[in-house]
Amino acid sequence: MSDASSSQIDQSARVRDLLPSGEARAKLRRWRGIKDQFARYMIAVFGVSVVVCLGLIFVYLFSEVMPMFQPAAMETRTTYAAPGGNPAQSVTVASDRHRETAVRFTDDRRAVFFDPRTGTVTNEERLPLPEDAEVTARAQAEPRTRLSAYGLDNGQALVVRHVFSERFVDGQRQTSGGIEFPLGDEDTALLDVVEDGTPITALTIQAGSSGISLVAALADGRLRMVQYEQTTSFMTGESTVERKVYDLEPPPGAATITSLLMDITMRNLLVGDSDGKLHYYDVARPARAALRDSREVLPDPNASITAMEYLLGTVSIIVGGSDGSVRQWFLVRDRDNINRITQVREFERHGAPVNLIAPEYARKGFATADENGVVKVHYSTSERTILSRPISDGPLRVLTFAPRANSLYAVDASEQLHLVDVRNPHPEISFSALWQRVWYEGRSGGEFVWQSSSATDEFEPKFSLMPLTLGTLKAAFYAMLFATPLAIMGAIYSAYFMSPRMRGVVKPTIEIMEALPTVILGFLAGLWLAPFVEANLPSVFSILLLMPLAFVLFAFFWSRVLAENIRVRVGPGWEAALLIPVVLFIGWLCVTISPQIEVLFFGGDMRQWLTDNGITYDQRNALVVGAAMGFAVIPTIYSISEDAVFNVPKHLTQGSLALGATPWQTVTKVVLLTASPGIFSAVMIGFGRAVGETMIVLMATGNSPVMNFNIFEGMRTLSANIAVEMPEAAVGGTHFRILFLAALVLFILTFIMNTAAEVVRQRLRRKYSSL
């Protein structure tokens, strides 16, 4: 045996000695099996955990949203004889916000204060009305003012305010009630509306910043307005009341005035008559008051206006008719800039004439009652009749809300007071209020508007989710329009054409961009990019036009003009590096010539030129957001697309090239088709990233919830709106829960998009898997 053979035998022996024995191998197989089983179970557990977490997120969002859609409820808590005794009839009932003290005004000139929970009388006060005079008209101002007025058959009127005071004794709240006279004391409270003693047949009162105004319809057909302006001396503290009287032209026709209303600005007067007509007077300048409009507000010409009240804020008028109809009207300016009485919406009818309307103190809701004792609760903005329930077997004399709208006080014809608990926490919500056009107060027609708060208490919340949803899609669209071509084309080039060494630098660099905090990107976009784009607007469009053209010209120069001995000095796949100077030069050139372009084509100011041509330009707009958010999305799309293109099997590309296809034909006919599932997944993941982005759109859009796709205007997205308004929303309130609904909409939107993307990806994968 040769020395070589002996050496091989010795080496084989040593290898056998190093190999584990059969028992050891079996042990290794068992241990490997244990690890495989553990890995399989752990992957399954964590995969299921992800699904469970997503489900829990949905359940939590749903649990916060569902209370908005629970039905309202109305239930009579107690019924007792109206405090203060009979046969006195109730005129009105009101209570404090805690429902601990209430007042009942009676037709025998008393104000009876009582505990509304039990009916126990706490104190009484008598109104200073003449014994020989009869009350012929009554009126109430906007409920928050607590003002009432009584018109007499001798032409006088009494203005009174009920007040509730609170104090704490040994940690317990105690409330009490009383009356006061805002235009004098008890001895001088009677006011002369007319001096000749003509009876007052209808009356309205309103308090505003300039004082208190009364408008009275008189028995002889006259219409008189009386203003009382109270001034207090800065030096002495003495108050004086100045009285101004204006006679208004009564409405045309022989109809009797049945109701009067004045708004809190004391500029608009509405007069209802027995013919079912509503007349609008402009009394901003009472000396030159004019009748501006008259409308029949009831569909039945034989019907008459039986009840009429302002809603909170005294913009909308609710008109109830003898035909049982309930309609909402308010003033809308026409093309001639004149206010016209316009019907906005109609609510569920009553089966009998409407005789009472009770507005809420703090919302745009109201209740109506008919002569059969049926009470309905409505909400104007959501155009809903929320509740309907009989309170008594006969007509009601009084119907009022508690200040927090959690109770109704109803007094029937037998002077039984019904305390009705009302549970109606979210009347603003309906499908039409969230997703359809709504005709809001002060608008000329239906619109999509999001405006959750304002500086005034009488503000009408506007909770349309359409501007937010459209804003979300708008931001994502412009971001994807910017990012998708750059990311996909860059991925194709770096994966297929770029040299490995250069790819090793470019790919990690772009992927590191994804780690940049979006708050930094939003900060730069809002404070640097937006002003820069505004100041150099022509350069933006110049870059979009000249940059591709410069690439084409450079490519032609490189491949057709430049000598081959120079081209071969640049290694294959390094051509992209030569474009860096081109990019820098074109960018510098476009910014430099931007002022000259503005002067030549846009009159020296492109932004003003856009405005003059009817195109609104906001500094923080979709153009800026598209660039900033596109910059954030590019790494996601690029990384996944690049991996998909790079992992296309080499035998496919090599086979295509061997059959005579050019590299570009191979890319378009083989590589892109094979990598299309991965590229599509990259685009959809990038779209989901753009839809859910918060900080960039929060800082760079202006947050204007507008309904358009104008690239020069901003937007407000669902995510940014949640981030802005959630800290200010009252927990459990309608605004709070609508923000959770917005989060649920965003969650469902991304879930649907991702599901659709996965379905498409699987189909693409099956279709091109045979390549």
Side-chain angles (χ1 to χ4, degrees):
M1 183 178 295
S2 64
D3 293 339
S5 299
S6 300
S7 176
Q8 290 177 357
I9 292 172
D10 293 339
Q11 187 175 2
S12 299
R14 286 196 297 270
V15 170
R16 283 196 302 271
D17 292 338
L18 293 174
L19 292 175
S21 63
E23 182 179 353
R25 286 197 297 271
K27 186 176 181 180
L28 288 174
R29 283 195 298 270
R30 288 196 299 272
W31 177 240
R32 188 182 301 115
I34 292 172
K35 289 191 290 185
D36 288 344
Q37 289 291 337
F38 178 78
R40 184 181 300 113
Y41 287 131
M42 291 305 295
I43 291 172
V45 167
F46 286 111
V48 172
S49 299
V50 171
V51 176
V52 170
C53 289
L54 290 175
L56 290 176
I57 292 173
F58 178 80
V59 169
Y60 174 67
L61 293 175
F62 198 72
S63 68
E64 291 289 348
V65 169
M66 273 307 295
M68 288 194 300
F69 302 100
Q70 292 179 352
M74 182 167 58
E75 183 179 0
T76 301
R77 179 196 292 189
T78 183
T79 300
Y80 48 82
N86 293 319
Q89 294 184 0
S90 301
V91 175
T92 187
V93 175
S95 76
D96 71 325
R97 58 178 178 161
H98 304 294
R99 297 180 295 176
E100 295 177 352
T101 301
V103 60
R104 172 194 177 219
F105 287 93
T106 64
D107 63 351
D108 62 354
R109 311 168 187 213
R110 289 181 299 151
V112 181
F113 292 88
F114 63 97
D115 186 339
R117 296 163 293 189
T118 62
T120 304
V121 176
T122 57
N123 64 294
E124 278 189 23
E125 295 196 30
R126 192 163 188 83
L127 301 181
L129 294 171
E131 294 295 336
D132 58 348
E134 181 181 351
V135 176
T136 54
R138 301 175 182 86
Q140 287 181 282
E142 213 258 0
R144 293 174 298 173
T145 65
R146 296 175 177 172
L147 275 179
S148 301
Y150 296 83
L152 307 178
D153 61 357
N154 62 3
Q156 291 183 310
L158 174 69
V159 177
V160 62
R161 175 184 284 118
H162 60 273
V163 294
F164 300 105
S165 57
E166 300 178 8
R167 63 173 182 168
F168 286 83
V169 179
D170 297 330
Q172 298 294 320
R173 182 178 56 242
Q174 296 181 357
T175 60
S176 59
I179 60 174
E180 61 183 25
F181 307 97
L183 296 177
D185 54 26
E186 186 173 351
D187 297 327
T188 61
L190 281 174
L191 309 173
D192 291 323
V193 177
V194 289
E195 294 76 10
D196 57 7
T198 305
I200 298 173
T201 58
L203 187 66
T204 185
I205 181 174
Q206 201 59 260
S209 58
S210 59
I212 294 175
S213 292
L214 291 167
V215 179
L218 305 177
D220 57 6
R222 285 182 292 164
L223 192 62
R224 171 164 286 194
M225 180 176 183
V226 184
Q227 290 185 337
Y228 296 91
E229 296 183 6
Q230 187 172 11
T231 57
T232 302
S233 172
F234 175 75
M235 300 297 293
T236 63
E238 183 180 355
S239 298
T240 58
V241 177
E242 182 181 1
R243 176 177 179 266
K244 298 178 181 178
V245 178
Y246 306 95
D247 286 317
L248 311 180
E249 188 71 24
T256 303
I257 295 175
T258 58
S259 53
L260 297 167
L261 286 178
M262 180 182 291
D263 69 354
I264 55 176
T265 67
M266 294 184 284
R267 303 170 67 91
N268 302 304
L269 174 66
L270 294 166
V271 179
D273 65 24
S274 57
D275 288 342
K277 285 187 176 181
L278 190 61
H279 309 275
Y280 160 57
Y281 285 82
D282 181 356
V283 293
R285 298 179 179 178
R288 291 186 289 176
L291 177 63
R292 298 297 187 189
D293 195 22
S294 296
R295 293 291 173 93
E296 290 187 359
V297 295
L298 300 175
D300 185 354
N302 297 320
S304 61
I305 298 174
T306 52
M308 188 170 74
E309 285 290 346
Y310 268 124
L311 294 185
L312 172 72
T314 65
V315 175
S316 292
I317 312 104
I318 304 300
V319 177
S322 59
D323 58 352
S325 62
V326 179
R327 286 177 164 81
Q328 180 184 357
W329 300 72
F330 55 69
L331 301 176
V332 177
R333 291 191 181 276
D334 61 12
R335 295 180 179 178
D336 298 325
N337 200 33
I338 298 176
N339 282 326
R340 302 293 184 186
I341 304 170
T342 306
Q343 179 178 328
V344 180
R345 51 184 65 94
E346 183 175 3
F347 299 91
E348 185 179 300
R349 280 174 170 262
H350 282 265
V354 177
N355 64 333
L356 293 171
I357 298 174
E360 292 188 18
Y361 281 65
R363 299 185 302 195
K364 301 292 181 178
F366 62 100
T368 55
D370 62 26
E371 293 186 355
N372 290 334
V374 175
V375 173
K376 295 179 184 287
V377 178
H378 318 266
Y379 198 83
S380 64
T381 309
S382 58
E383 201 169 349
R384 295 172 60 199
T385 297
I386 301 166
L387 293 167
S388 180
R389 186 174 181 272
I391 299 298
S392 72
D393 296 331
L396 299 177
R397 287 179 177 165
V398 175
L399 183 68
T400 57
F401 268 106
R404 291 179 176 173
N406 50 5
S407 293
L408 275 169
Y409 301 102
V411 181
D412 60 25
S414 60
E415 286 301 315
Q416 292 292 304
L417 191 149
H418 306 264
L419 176 58
V420 182
D421 288 333
V422 179
R423 185 191 173 278
N424 185 24
H426 307 292
E428 304 94 336
I429 301 304
S430 68
F431 180 84
S432 61
L434 294 173
W435 299 107
Q436 296 179 353
R437 294 182 183 273
V438 177
W439 198 339
Y440 298 104
E441 293 179 349
R443 310 274 175 157
S444 58
E447 298 179 21
F448 297 109
V449 181
W450 173 273
Q451 187 182 1
S452 58
S453 61
S454 181
T456 59
D457 294 334
E458 60 269 14
F459 166 74
E460 181 180 23
K462 303 167 181 64
F463 290 129
S464 175
L465 291 179
M466 283 297 293
L468 306 181
T469 306
L470 183 67
T472 301
L473 298 177
K474 178 181 176 180
F477 171 77
Y478 284 113
M480 297 301 291
L481 189 65
F482 178 86
T484 303
L486 294 178
I488 293 178
M489 292 181 182
I492 293 171
Y493 183 84
S494 65
Y496 191 73
F497 295 102
M498 189 175 288
S499 68
R501 184 178 175 186
M502 189 176 182
R503 178 176 178 267
V505 175
V506 171
K507 189 172 189 293
T509 302
I510 295 178
E511 290 176 342
I512 287 174
M513 288 167 47
E514 194 165 10
L516 288 174
T518 56
V519 66
I520 301 300
L521 295 178
F523 178 81
L524 293 175
L527 298 183
W528 172 75
L529 182 60
F532 177 83
V533 169
E534 182 184 27
N536 300 275
L537 198 54
S539 67
V540 176
F541 298 96
S542 301
I543 290 173
L544 293 177
L545 294 174
L546 296 182
M547 194 69 75
L549 180 61
F551 286 177
V552 173
L553 292 176
F554 180 81
F556 178 81
F557 175 80
W558 176 260
S559 61
R560 297 290 187 267
V561 178
L562 202 62
E564 185 175 355
N565 60 345
I566 299 177
R567 293 201 305 270
V568 296
R569 295 180 183 178
V570 179
W574 285 88
E575 295 86 356
L578 300 176
L579 288 174
I580 295 176
V582 177
V583 172
L584 296 176
F585 174 74
I586 294 299
W588 170 83
L589 178 65
C590 291
V591 173
T592 302
I593 65 174
S594 177
Q596 287 73 28
I597 295 176
E598 276 193 305
V599 172
L600 289 175
F601 298 102
F602 304 107
D605 190 341
M606 186 175 178
R607 176 175 178 176
Q608 186 61 45
W609 181 86
L610 291 172
T611 303
D612 294 340
N613 286 273
I615 302 174
T616 303
Y617 185 92
D618 298 330
Q619 185 187 75
R620 300 185 180 186
N621 52 45
L623 179 63
V624 175
V625 171
M629 199 153 68
F631 188 82
V633 171
I634 280 176
T636 302
I637 302 176
Y638 168 84
S639 181
I640 300 174
S641 299
E642 207 271 351
D643 289 339
V645 174
F646 188 78
N647 291 324
V648 171
K650 296 299 181 184
H651 69 270
L652 295 178
T653 58
Q654 292 170 356
S656 174
L657 294 171
L659 291 172
T662 65
W664 183 249
Q665 288 174 329
T666 300
V667 167
T668 56
K669 303 295 185 182
V670 177
V671 174
L672 283 181
L673 295 180
T674 307
S676 58
I679 294 175
F680 185 78
S681 296
V683 172
M684 297 312 298
I685 291 173
F687 181 78
R689 168 85 165 77
V691 166
E693 176 55 44
T694 302
M695 293 311 299
I696 294 176
V697 292
L698 183 65
M699 302 177 73
T701 63
N703 286 303
S704 302
V706 295
M707 283 287 296
N708 61 54
F709 252 79
N710 182 4
I711 194 172
F712 298 119
E713 287 190 66
M715 77 290 289
R716 178 178 287 195
T717 65
L718 290 165
S719 56
N721 189 67
I722 294 169
V724 169
E725 300 194 6
M726 185 62 79
E728 302 175 359
V731 176
T734 300
H735 181 204
F736 178 82
R737 298 196 185 280
I738 288 179
L739 292 177
F740 271 91
L741 177 62
L744 183 61
V745 169
L746 186 61
F747 183 85
I748 292 174
L749 178 63
T750 54
F751 180 80
I752 291 173
M753 294 300 299
N754 290 335
T755 302
E758 181 62 20
V759 171
V760 174
R761 189 186 72 83
Q762 291 293 344
R763 291 185 178 180
L764 290 173
R765 186 176 182 180
R766 287 195 299 269
K767 182 176 181 180
Y768 297 114
S769 61
S770 60
L771 291 177

